[in-house]
Amino acid sequence: MPDQFNADKRRRFYMNSDAGSVREMPRQERTYAQQHGVPGNEQLQQQYNMPGAAGSQGVAMTYDDVIRKSVTSFAVLLVGAGAAVTLATLMPGAAMGLALVAVLAGLVLGLVNAFRREPNPGLILAYSATQGFFLGALTWVLEVQFPGVAVQAVTATLVVFGTVLALFKSGKVRATPKLNKMFFTALIAYAVFSLLNLGLMIFTDIGMFGMRGGWLGVAIGAFAILLATYSLVLDFTNIQEGVDAGVEQKYGWAAAFGLTVSLVWLYVEILRVIVILRSLAE
């Protein structure tokens, strides 16, 4: 099961905990960035002036830096996926066993990265590697049953990502407090449903998709794709406001982690919907 739930958008740009000495503003007077962990300019200046402010010497995060870190994260993910496909071709049984280990490791690493106050590049790249291995093994299994499904899922994921990015850059799509509340409520409900469905798949003979079979599964999958898409909007918002606020360069890794989680989630949901549709057509 994808571990999008363990990264419930707590991957935010944290500063040092010493910032608690700064006067707290009423929530309605704070910007979206300040409400979600990105301090304002006054807070940033105070923290940069503190003795142990940062090993990065106060270098601010930039879009180019986020892009480099994100590309690195996805490169590691692709290496993991390639390793899984290669191993699955040679030793399918061993690959599936390691895929289970990768799922569990990804869950743990996702939780660790989501709740850390300081981003750790090693842990983030380890998460990318384990998720890549899991995705590679999963895609290989489904590709054997439904030839061409991998290309379809990858293409659809890239199209959604590119569309959301273009709309966000044009200002036509934005995260709002009202949408955020709806998103988190829906995310919790979806997480509970998915855990219940997973339990039924493991302990009963309900089938490959559990309660997500047939057209109901397509509808639930479409809903999950919308959630993953809005998750990307939140990631872009965090990146934009982090750059505007001048947070430290190291928090570019937090941005890369957020994008990795959202795109993995989006890919898995799209892959699942395509497989369900292909199975209905047979």
Side-chain angles (χ1 to χ4, degrees), residues 45-70:
Q45 189 59 48
Q46 290 187 37
Q47 292 181 69
Y48 287 147
N49 291 335
M50 287 191 291
S56 63
Q57 310 294 320
V59 177
M61 183 178 77
T62 64
Y63 290 116
D64 287 343
D65 183 62
V66 172
I67 291 173
R68 284 193 296 271
K69 290 178 170 60
S70 298

Side-chain angles (χ1 to χ4, degrees), residues 117-213:
R117 294 186 63 84
E118 299 284 338
N120 185 303
L123 292 176
I124 291 171
L125 294 180
Y127 169 84
S128 298
T130 56
Q131 285 299 94
F133 194 94
F134 162 68
L135 292 182
L138 175 65
T139 303
W140 183 85
V141 170
L142 295 177
E143 180 71 19
V144 171
Q145 300 179 54
F146 305 95
V149 69
V151 173
Q152 293 173 335
V154 170
T155 301
T157 301
L158 293 176
V159 168
V160 172
F161 176 80
T163 301
V164 174
L165 178 59
L167 291 173
F168 183 84
K169 290 185 66 176
S170 69
K172 295 180 180 179
V173 172
R174 282 290 182 268
T176 66
K178 183 176 181 180
L179 285 176
N180 293 341
K181 290 180 181 179
M182 294 173 60
F183 169 79
F184 289 118
T185 301
L187 182 63
I188 292 172
Y190 179 69
V192 173
F193 168 80
S194 296
L195 289 173
L196 175 61
N197 190 52
L198 178 64
L200 291 175
M201 291 169 61
I202 294 175
F203 299 109
T204 71
D205 57 354
I206 194 172
M208 178 180 179
F209 301 109
M211 294 184 289
R212 297 189 60 167

